[in-house]
Coordinates of all heavy atoms in Angstrom, one line a residue:
M1 N -15.1 -38.5 14.6 CA -14.5 -37.3 13.8 C -13.4 -36.8 14.9 O -13.6 -36.8 16.0 CB -15.6 -36.3 13.8 CG -14.9 -35.0 13.1 SD -16.2 -33.6 12.9 CE -16.9 -34.2 11.5
R2 N -12.3 -36.4 14.2 CA -11.2 -35.8 15.0 C -11.4 -34.3 14.9 O -11.9 -33.8 14.0 CB -9.8 -36.2 14.4 CG -9.6 -37.7 14.4 CD -8.4 -38.2 13.7 NE -8.7 -38.0 12.3 CZ -7.8 -37.6 11.3 NH1 -6.6 -37.5 11.7 NH2 -8.0 -37.5 10.1
I3 N -11.0 -33.6 15.9 CA -11.1 -32.2 16.0 C -9.8 -31.6 16.2 O -9.0 -31.9 17.3 CB -12.1 -31.7 17.1 CG1 -13.4 -32.4 16.8 CG2 -12.2 -30.3 17.2 CD1 -14.6 -32.1 18.0
E4 N -9.4 -30.6 15.5 CA -8.2 -29.8 15.6 C -8.5 -28.4 16.1 O -9.1 -27.7 15.3 CB -7.3 -29.9 14.3 CG -6.1 -29.1 14.5 CD -5.2 -29.5 15.5 OE1 -4.8 -30.6 15.5 OE2 -4.9 -28.7 16.5
R5 N -8.0 -28.0 17.2 CA -8.4 -26.6 17.7 C -7.2 -25.6 17.5 O -7.3 -24.4 17.9 CB -8.9 -26.7 19.1 CG -10.1 -27.4 19.4 CD -10.4 -27.5 20.8 NE -11.7 -28.1 21.1 CZ -12.1 -29.4 21.0 NH1 -11.0 -30.2 20.9 NH2 -13.3 -29.8 21.2
T6 N -6.1 -26.0 16.8 CA -5.1 -25.2 16.6 C -5.2 -24.7 15.1 O -5.1 -25.5 14.2 CB -3.7 -25.8 16.8 OG1 -3.7 -26.3 18.1 CG2 -2.5 -24.9 16.4
D7 N -5.3 -23.4 14.9 CA -5.4 -22.8 13.6 C -4.1 -23.1 12.9 O -3.0 -22.8 13.3 CB -5.6 -21.3 13.7 CG -5.6 -20.6 12.3 OD1 -5.0 -20.9 11.4 OD2 -6.6 -19.6 12.3
P8 N -4.1 -23.9 11.7 CA -3.0 -24.4 11.1 C -2.3 -23.1 10.4 O -1.1 -23.4 10.1 CB -3.5 -25.3 10.0 CG -4.9 -24.9 9.7 CD -5.4 -24.4 11.0
V9 N -2.9 -22.1 10.1 CA -2.2 -20.9 9.5 C -1.5 -20.1 10.6 O -0.3 -19.7 10.3 CB -3.3 -20.0 8.9 CG1 -2.5 -18.8 8.3 CG2 -3.9 -20.8 7.7
T10 N -2.0 -19.8 11.6 CA -1.4 -19.0 12.9 C -0.7 -19.8 13.8 O 0.1 -19.1 14.5 CB -2.3 -18.1 13.4 OG1 -3.4 -18.8 14.2 CG2 -3.3 -17.1 12.4
G11 N -1.2 -20.9 14.0 CA -0.6 -21.8 15.1 C -1.3 -21.5 16.5 O -0.8 -22.1 17.5
K12 N -2.2 -20.6 16.5 CA -2.9 -20.3 17.7 C -3.8 -21.4 18.1 O -4.7 -21.8 17.2 CB -3.5 -19.0 17.6 CG -4.2 -18.5 19.0 CD -4.8 -17.1 18.8 CE -5.5 -16.7 20.1 NZ -6.2 -15.4 19.9
T13 N -3.8 -21.9 19.4 CA -4.8 -22.8 19.9 C -6.1 -22.0 20.3 O -6.0 -21.0 21.0 CB -4.2 -23.7 20.9 OG1 -3.1 -24.4 20.5 CG2 -5.3 -24.7 21.5
L14 N -7.2 -22.5 19.9 CA -8.5 -21.7 20.1 C -9.2 -22.4 21.2 O -9.6 -23.6 21.1 CB -9.3 -21.7 18.9 CG -8.5 -21.1 17.7 CD1 -9.4 -21.3 16.3 CD2 -8.2 -19.6 17.9
T15 N -9.5 -21.7 22.3 CA -10.4 -22.3 23.4 C -11.1 -21.1 23.9 O -10.5 -20.1 24.2 CB -9.5 -22.9 24.5 OG1 -8.6 -22.1 25.0 CG2 -9.1 -24.2 24.1
P16 N -12.4 -21.0 23.9 CA -13.3 -22.0 23.3 C -13.4 -21.9 21.7 O -12.8 -20.8 21.3 CB -14.6 -21.7 24.1 CG -14.6 -20.2 24.2 CD -13.2 -19.9 24.6
T17 N -14.1 -22.7 21.2 CA -14.3 -22.7 19.7 C -15.6 -22.3 19.4 O -15.9 -22.3 18.1 CB -14.0 -24.1 19.1 OG1 -14.7 -25.0 19.7 CG2 -12.5 -24.4 19.4
D18 N -16.5 -21.9 20.3 CA -17.8 -21.5 19.8 C -17.8 -20.4 18.9 O -17.1 -19.3 19.3 CB -18.6 -21.0 21.1 CG -18.7 -22.2 22.1 OD1 -18.6 -23.4 21.8 OD2 -19.0 -21.9 23.4
G19 N -18.4 -20.5 17.9 CA -18.6 -19.4 16.8 C -17.4 -19.2 15.9 O -17.5 -18.4 15.0
Q20 N -16.3 -20.0 16.1 CA -15.1 -19.9 15.2 C -15.4 -20.5 13.9 O -16.1 -21.5 13.9 CB -13.9 -20.6 15.9 CG -13.4 -19.9 17.2 CD -13.0 -18.5 17.0 OE1 -13.5 -17.6 17.6 NE2 -12.1 -18.2 16.1
P21 N -14.9 -20.0 12.8 CA -14.9 -20.7 11.5 C -14.3 -22.0 11.6 O -13.2 -22.1 12.3 CB -14.4 -19.7 10.5 CG -13.5 -18.8 11.4 CD -14.1 -18.8 12.8
Y22 N -14.7 -23.0 10.8 CA -14.1 -24.2 10.6 C -14.4 -24.9 9.3 O -15.3 -24.3 8.5 CB -14.6 -25.2 11.8 CG -16.1 -25.6 11.6 CD1 -16.6 -26.7 10.9 CD2 -17.1 -24.7 12.2 CE1 -17.7 -27.0 10.8 CE2 -18.4 -25.1 12.1 CZ -18.8 -26.2 11.4 OH -20.2 -26.5 11.3
V23 N -13.6 -25.9 8.9 CA -13.9 -26.8 7.9 C -13.8 -28.1 8.2 O -13.1 -28.5 9.3 CB -12.8 -26.6 6.6 CG1 -12.8 -25.1 6.1 CG2 -11.4 -26.9 7.1
V24 N -14.6 -29.0 7.5 CA -14.5 -30.5 7.7 C -13.8 -31.1 6.5 O -14.3 -30.9 5.5 CB -15.8 -31.0 8.0 CG1 -15.8 -32.6 8.2 CG2 -16.5 -30.4 9.2
E25 N -12.6 -31.8 6.8 CA -11.9 -32.6 5.7 C -12.3 -34.0 5.9 O -12.1 -34.5 6.9 CB -10.5 -32.3 5.9 CG -10.0 -30.9 5.8 CD -9.8 -30.4 4.4 OE1 -10.2 -31.2 3.4 OE2 -9.6 -29.3 4.2
G26 N -12.7 -34.7 4.9 CA -13.0 -36.1 4.8 C -14.3 -36.4 5.3 O -15.3 -35.4 5.5
E27 N -14.7 -37.7 5.6 CA -16.0 -38.0 5.9 C -15.9 -39.2 7.0 O -14.9 -39.8 7.2 CB -16.7 -38.6 4.7 CG -16.9 -37.6 3.6 CD -17.6 -38.3 2.4 OE1 -17.8 -39.5 2.4 OE2 -17.7 -37.6 1.3
G28 N -17.1 -39.3 7.7 CA -17.2 -40.4 8.7 C -16.3 -40.2 9.8 O -15.8 -39.1 10.2
A29 N -15.9 -41.4 10.4 CA -15.1 -41.4 11.6 C -13.7 -41.0 11.3 O -12.9 -40.5 12.2 CB -14.9 -42.9 12.0
D30 N -13.2 -40.8 10.1 CA -11.8 -40.4 9.7 C -11.9 -38.8 9.4 O -10.9 -38.2 9.1 CB -11.3 -41.1 8.5 CG -11.0 -42.6 8.9 OD1 -10.5 -42.8 10.0 OD2 -11.0 -43.4 7.9
A31 N -13.1 -38.3 9.4 CA -13.2 -36.8 9.2 C -12.3 -36.0 10.2 O -12.2 -36.4 11.4 CB -14.6 -36.4 9.1
L32 N -11.9 -34.9 9.7 CA -11.1 -33.9 10.7 C -11.8 -32.5 10.5 O -12.0 -31.8 9.4 CB -9.7 -33.9 10.1 CG -8.8 -32.8 10.7 CD1 -8.7 -33.2 12.3 CD2 -7.4 -32.7 10.2
M33 N -12.2 -32.0 11.6 CA -12.8 -30.7 11.8 C -11.7 -29.8 12.2 O -11.0 -30.0 13.3 CB -13.8 -30.7 12.9 CG -14.6 -29.2 13.1 SD -15.9 -29.3 14.3 CE -17.1 -29.9 13.3
I34 N -11.4 -28.7 11.4 CA -10.3 -27.8 11.7 C -10.9 -26.4 12.0 O -11.5 -25.9 11.2 CB -9.3 -27.7 10.5 CG1 -8.8 -29.2 10.1 CG2 -8.1 -26.7 11.0 CD1 -8.1 -29.1 8.9
Y35 N -10.6 -26.0 13.2 CA -11.0 -24.5 13.6 C -10.1 -23.5 13.2 O -8.8 -23.9 13.2 CB -11.3 -24.6 15.1 CG -12.6 -25.3 15.4 CD1 -12.6 -26.5 16.0 CD2 -13.8 -24.5 15.4 CE1 -13.8 -27.0 16.4 CE2 -15.0 -25.1 15.9 CZ -14.9 -26.4 16.3 OH -16.2 -27.0 16.7
F36 N -10.5 -22.3 12.9 CA -9.6 -21.2 12.6 C -9.9 -20.1 13.4 O -10.9 -19.8 13.9 CB -9.9 -20.8 11.1 CG -9.5 -22.0 10.2 CD1 -10.5 -23.0 9.8 CD2 -8.3 -22.1 9.6 CE1 -10.2 -24.0 9.0 CE2 -8.0 -23.1 8.8 CZ -8.9 -24.1 8.5
E37 N -8.8 -19.2 13.4 CA -8.9 -17.9 14.3 C -9.8 -16.9 13.6 O -10.5 -16.1 14.3 CB -7.5 -17.3 14.4 CG -7.3 -16.3 15.3 CD -5.9 -15.9 15.6 OE1 -5.1 -16.5 15.1 OE2 -5.6 -14.9 16.2
S38 N -9.9 -16.9 12.3 CA -10.7 -16.0 11.6 C -11.0 -16.5 10.3 O -10.5 -17.5 9.8 CB -9.8 -14.6 11.3 OG -8.7 -14.8 10.5
E39 N -12.0 -15.8 9.5 CA -12.5 -16.1 8.1 C -11.2 -16.0 7.2 O -11.0 -16.7 6.3 CB -13.7 -15.4 7.8 CG -14.9 -15.8 8.4 CD -15.5 -17.1 8.0 OE1 -15.0 -17.6 6.8 OE2 -16.2 -17.8 8.8
E40 N -10.3 -15.1 7.6 CA -9.3 -14.8 6.6 C -8.3 -16.1 6.8 O -7.7 -16.5 5.7 CB -8.5 -13.5 7.1 CG -7.2 -13.3 6.3 CD -7.4 -13.2 4.9 OE1 -8.5 -12.9 4.4 OE2 -6.5 -13.6 4.1
T41 N -7.9 -16.5 7.9 CA -7.0 -17.7 8.0 C -7.7 -18.9 7.4 O -6.9 -19.8 6.7 CB -6.6 -18.0 9.5 OG1 -7.7 -18.2 10.3 CG2 -5.6 -16.8 9.9
K42 N -9.0 -19.0 7.5 CA -9.7 -20.2 6.9 C -9.6 -20.0 5.4 O -9.2 -21.0 4.7 CB -11.2 -20.1 7.2 CG -12.1 -21.1 6.5 CD -13.4 -21.1 7.0 CE -14.4 -22.0 6.1 NZ -15.8 -21.7 6.5
R43 N -9.7 -18.8 4.7 CA -9.4 -18.6 3.3 C -8.1 -19.0 2.9 O -7.9 -19.6 1.9 CB -9.9 -17.2 2.8 CG -11.5 -17.0 2.7 CD -11.7 -15.7 2.0 NE -11.4 -14.6 2.9 CZ -12.1 -14.0 3.9 NH1 -13.3 -14.6 4.1 NH2 -11.7 -13.0 4.6
Q44 N -7.1 -18.5 3.7 CA -5.8 -18.8 3.4 C -5.5 -20.4 3.3 O -4.8 -20.9 2.5 CB -4.8 -18.2 4.5 CG -4.7 -16.7 4.3 CD -3.8 -16.1 5.4 OE1 -3.0 -16.8 6.0 NE2 -3.9 -14.9 5.7
Y45 N -6.1 -21.0 4.4 CA -5.9 -22.5 4.4 C -6.6 -23.2 3.2 O -6.0 -24.0 2.5 CB -6.6 -23.1 5.7 CG -6.7 -24.5 5.7 CD1 -5.6 -25.3 6.0 CD2 -7.9 -25.3 5.3 CE1 -5.7 -26.6 6.1 CE2 -8.0 -26.6 5.4 CZ -6.9 -27.3 5.8 OH -7.0 -28.6 5.7
Q46 N -7.8 -22.6 2.8 CA -8.4 -23.2 1.7 C -7.6 -22.9 0.4 O -7.9 -23.6 -0.7 CB -9.8 -22.8 1.6 CG -10.6 -23.4 2.7 CD -12.1 -22.8 2.9 OE1 -12.3 -21.6 2.7 NE2 -13.1 -23.7 3.1
G47 N -6.9 -21.9 0.4 CA -6.2 -21.6 -0.9 C -4.9 -22.4 -1.0 O -4.2 -22.2 -2.1
I48 N -4.5 -23.2 -0.1 CA -3.4 -24.0 -0.2 C -3.7 -25.2 -1.1 O -4.6 -25.9 -0.7 CB -2.8 -24.4 1.1 CG1 -2.5 -23.2 2.0 CG2 -1.7 -25.5 1.1 CD1 -2.1 -23.5 3.4
G49 N -3.0 -25.4 -2.1 CA -3.3 -26.6 -3.0 C -2.9 -27.8 -2.3 O -1.8 -27.9 -1.7
A50 N -3.8 -28.9 -2.5 CA -3.4 -30.1 -2.1 C -2.9 -30.9 -3.1 O -3.1 -30.9 -4.3 CB -4.7 -30.8 -1.5
E51 N -1.7 -31.8 -2.7 CA -1.1 -32.7 -3.6 C -2.0 -33.8 -3.9 O -2.4 -34.4 -3.0 CB 0.3 -33.0 -3.2 CG 1.2 -31.9 -3.2 CD 2.6 -32.4 -2.7 OE1 2.8 -33.6 -2.6 OE2 3.5 -31.5 -2.4
R52 N -2.2 -34.2 -5.1 CA -2.9 -35.4 -5.4 C -2.1 -36.3 -6.4 O -2.0 -36.1 -7.5 CB -4.2 -35.0 -6.3 CG -5.0 -34.0 -5.6 CD -6.2 -34.7 -4.9 NE -7.1 -33.7 -4.4 CZ -7.5 -33.7 -3.1 NH1 -7.0 -34.5 -2.3 NH2 -8.3 -32.8 -2.7
P53 N -1.2 -37.1 -5.8 CA -0.2 -37.9 -6.4 C -0.8 -38.6 -7.7 O -0.2 -38.8 -8.6 CB 0.4 -38.9 -5.5 CG 0.0 -38.3 -4.2 CD -1.2 -37.5 -4.3
E54 N -2.0 -39.2 -7.5 CA -2.6 -39.9 -8.6 C -2.9 -39.1 -9.8 O -3.1 -39.6 -10.9 CB -3.9 -40.7 -8.1 CG -5.1 -39.8 -7.9 CD -5.0 -39.1 -6.5 OE1 -4.1 -39.2 -5.8 OE2 -6.0 -38.3 -6.3
R55 N -2.9 -37.7 -9.6 CA -3.4 -36.9 -10.7 C -2.2 -35.9 -11.0 O -2.0 -35.5 -12.2 CB -4.6 -36.1 -10.3 CG -5.2 -35.2 -11.4 CD -6.4 -34.4 -10.9 NE -5.9 -33.2 -10.0 CZ -6.5 -32.9 -8.9 NH1 -7.8 -33.4 -8.7 NH2 -6.0 -32.0 -8.2
D56 N -1.5 -35.4 -10.0 CA -0.5 -34.3 -10.3 C 1.0 -34.7 -10.6 O 1.6 -33.8 -11.1 CB -0.5 -33.5 -9.0 CG -1.8 -32.9 -8.7 OD1 -2.6 -32.7 -9.7 OD2 -2.1 -32.5 -7.5
L57 N 1.3 -35.9 -10.2 CA 2.7 -36.3 -10.5 C 2.8 -36.9 -12.0 O 2.2 -37.9 -12.3 CB 3.1 -37.3 -9.5 CG 3.3 -36.7 -8.1 CD1 3.8 -38.0 -7.2 CD2 4.2 -35.6 -8.0
H58 N 3.5 -36.2 -12.8 CA 3.6 -36.6 -14.2 C 5.0 -37.2 -14.5 O 5.4 -37.6 -15.7 CB 3.4 -35.4 -15.0 CG 2.1 -34.7 -14.8 ND1 0.8 -35.4 -15.1 CD2 1.6 -33.7 -14.3 CE1 -0.2 -34.7 -14.9 NE2 0.4 -33.5 -14.2
H59 N 5.9 -37.3 -13.6 CA 7.2 -37.7 -13.6 C 7.4 -39.1 -13.0 O 6.8 -39.3 -12.0 CB 8.3 -36.8 -13.2 CG 8.2 -35.4 -13.9 ND1 8.6 -35.2 -15.1 CD2 7.6 -34.3 -13.5 CE1 8.4 -34.0 -15.4 NE2 7.8 -33.3 -14.5
T60 N 8.1 -39.9 -13.6 CA 8.5 -41.1 -13.0 C 9.5 -41.1 -11.9 O 10.4 -40.2 -12.0 CB 8.9 -42.3 -14.1 OG1 9.2 -43.5 -13.3 CG2 10.2 -41.9 -14.7
L61 N 9.5 -41.9 -10.9 CA 10.5 -41.7 -9.8 C 11.6 -42.9 -10.1 O 12.5 -42.9 -9.3 CB 9.9 -42.0 -8.4 CG 8.9 -41.0 -8.1 CD1 8.3 -41.4 -6.7 CD2 9.4 -39.6 -8.0
D62 N 11.6 -43.6 -11.3 CA 12.6 -44.4 -11.6 C 13.7 -43.8 -11.8 O 13.8 -42.7 -12.6 CB 12.1 -45.3 -12.8 CG 13.0 -46.4 -13.2 OD1 13.7 -46.9 -12.3 OD2 13.1 -46.6 -14.4
N63 N 14.9 -44.2 -11.4 CA 16.2 -43.8 -11.7 C 17.1 -44.8 -12.4 O 17.5 -45.7 -11.6 CB 16.9 -43.2 -10.5 CG 18.2 -42.6 -10.6 OD1 18.7 -42.4 -11.8 ND2 18.8 -42.1 -9.6
P64 N 17.2 -44.7 -13.7 CA 17.9 -45.7 -14.4 C 19.5 -45.7 -14.2 O 20.1 -46.6 -14.5 CB 17.7 -45.4 -15.9 CG 17.3 -44.0 -15.9 CD 16.9 -43.6 -14.5
A65 N 20.0 -44.7 -13.5 CA 21.4 -44.6 -13.4 C 21.7 -45.5 -12.2 O 21.1 -45.7 -11.2 CB 21.7 -43.1 -13.0
P66 N 22.9 -46.3 -12.4 CA 23.3 -47.2 -11.3 C 23.7 -46.4 -10.0 O 24.1 -45.2 -10.0 CB 24.5 -48.0 -11.9 CG 25.0 -47.1 -13.0 CD 23.8 -46.3 -13.4
L67 N 23.4 -47.1 -8.8 CA 23.7 -46.5 -7.6 C 25.1 -47.2 -7.1 O 25.4 -48.3 -7.5 CB 22.6 -46.7 -6.6 CG 21.2 -46.0 -7.0 CD1 20.2 -46.6 -5.9 CD2 21.4 -44.5 -6.9
P68 N 25.7 -46.6 -6.1 CA 26.9 -47.2 -5.7 C 26.5 -48.7 -5.1 O 25.5 -48.9 -4.4 CB 27.4 -46.3 -4.5 CG 26.8 -45.0 -4.8 CD 25.5 -45.3 -5.6
G69 N 27.4 -49.6 -5.5 CA 27.1 -51.1 -5.1 C 26.2 -51.8 -6.1 O 26.2 -53.0 -5.9
D70 N 25.6 -51.1 -7.1 CA 24.9 -51.9 -8.1 C 25.9 -52.5 -9.0 O 26.9 -52.0 -9.4 CB 24.0 -51.0 -8.9 CG 22.8 -50.5 -8.1 OD1 22.4 -51.0 -7.1 OD2 22.1 -49.6 -8.7
E71 N 25.5 -53.7 -9.6 CA 26.3 -54.3 -10.5 C 26.1 -53.8 -11.8 O 25.1 -53.4 -12.2 CB 26.0 -55.9 -10.5 CG 26.1 -56.6 -9.1 CD 27.5 -56.4 -8.6 OE1 28.5 -56.4 -9.4 OE2 27.7 -56.4 -7.4
P72 N 27.1 -53.7 -12.8 CA 27.0 -53.1 -14.0 C 25.9 -53.7 -14.9 O 25.2 -53.0 -15.6 CB 28.4 -53.3 -14.7 CG 29.2 -53.9 -13.7 CD 28.3 -54.3 -12.4
N73 N 25.6 -55.1 -14.9 CA 24.6 -55.5 -15.7 C 23.3 -55.8 -14.9 O 22.4 -56.4 -15.5 CB 25.1 -56.9 -16.2 CG 25.4 -58.0 -15.1 OD1 25.2 -57.7 -14.0 ND2 26.1 -59.1 -15.5
G74 N 23.2 -55.3 -13.7 CA 21.9 -55.5 -13.0 C 21.8 -56.8 -12.3 O 20.8 -57.0 -11.6
I75 N 22.8 -57.7 -12.5 CA 22.6 -59.0 -11.7 C 23.7 -59.0 -10.7 O 24.8 -58.9 -10.9 CB 23.0 -60.1 -12.8 CG1 21.8 -60.1 -13.9 CG2 22.9 -61.5 -12.1 CD1 22.2 -61.0 -15.1
P76 N 23.3 -59.2 -9.5 CA 24.2 -59.3 -8.4 C 25.2 -60.4 -8.6 O 24.7 -61.6 -9.0 CB 23.4 -59.5 -7.2 CG 22.0 -59.3 -7.6 CD 21.9 -59.4 -9.0
Q77 N 26.5 -60.2 -8.3 CA 27.4 -61.3 -8.3 C 27.4 -62.0 -7.0 O 27.2 -61.5 -6.0 CB 28.8 -60.7 -8.5 CG 28.9 -60.0 -9.9 CD 30.3 -59.5 -10.2 OE1 31.1 -59.5 -9.3 NE2 30.6 -58.9 -11.3
Q78 N 27.7 -63.3 -7.1 CA 27.8 -64.1 -5.9 C 29.0 -63.9 -5.2 O 30.0 -63.7 -5.8 CB 27.6 -65.6 -6.2 CG 26.2 -66.0 -6.7 CD 26.0 -67.5 -7.0 OE1 27.1 -68.3 -6.7 NE2 25.0 -67.9 -7.4
R79 N 28.9 -63.8 -3.9 CA 30.1 -63.4 -3.2 C 30.5 -64.6 -2.3 O 29.6 -65.5 -1.9 CB 29.8 -62.2 -2.3 CG 29.4 -61.0 -3.0 CD 29.2 -59.8 -2.1 NE 28.5 -58.8 -2.8 CZ 28.9 -57.8 -3.5 NH1 30.3 -57.7 -3.6 NH2 28.3 -56.9 -4.1
G80 N 31.8 -64.8 -2.1 CA 32.2 -65.8 -1.1 C 32.8 -66.8 -1.7 O 33.3 -67.7 -1.9

């Protein structure tokens, strides 16, 4: 487990962390324990929405417009 002692809301590094509120993100060896300066900053952090690309992105990133250097028919011309 990785441990982060800097409150991500206030930027304050907490030492010691005894009794400080925290959350654990993830599971197992890749889990991240994040300590907070107060219950309020913990609530603020938990209120930040997480992006879930597999669920939240509804638009394609495909850009059908040609870019500079693209061939008009999509087939590169041989050079030389």
Side-chain angles (χ1 to χ4, degrees):
M1 175 180 289
R2 297 170 293 148
I3 298 174
E4 178 56 61
R5 292 176 174 85
T6 301
D7 184 318
V9 176
T10 65
K12 182 177 178 184
T13 300
L14 307 169
T15 53
T17 55
D18 298 339
Q20 294 299 124
Y22 66 90
V23 298
V24 175
E25 301 280 359
E27 297 177 3
D30 291 329
L32 175 63
M33 178 181 281
I34 306 169
Y35 283 98
F36 295 88
E37 189 174 357
S38 67
E39 286 292 336
E40 176 57 30
T41 59
K42 177 182 168 184
R43 277 192 293 279
Q44 288 176 18
Y45 171 82
Q46 290 174 319
I48 298 171
E51 291 184 11
R52 307 264 187 232
E54 71 281 0
R55 186 183 71 211
D56 296 336
L57 295 178
H58 304 289
H59 300 284
T60 179
L61 299 178
D62 181 35
N63 183 357
L67 298 173
D70 284 351
E71 303 300 331
N73 61 4
I75 301 171
Q77 296 179 356
Q78 292 186 2
R79 301 182 197 270

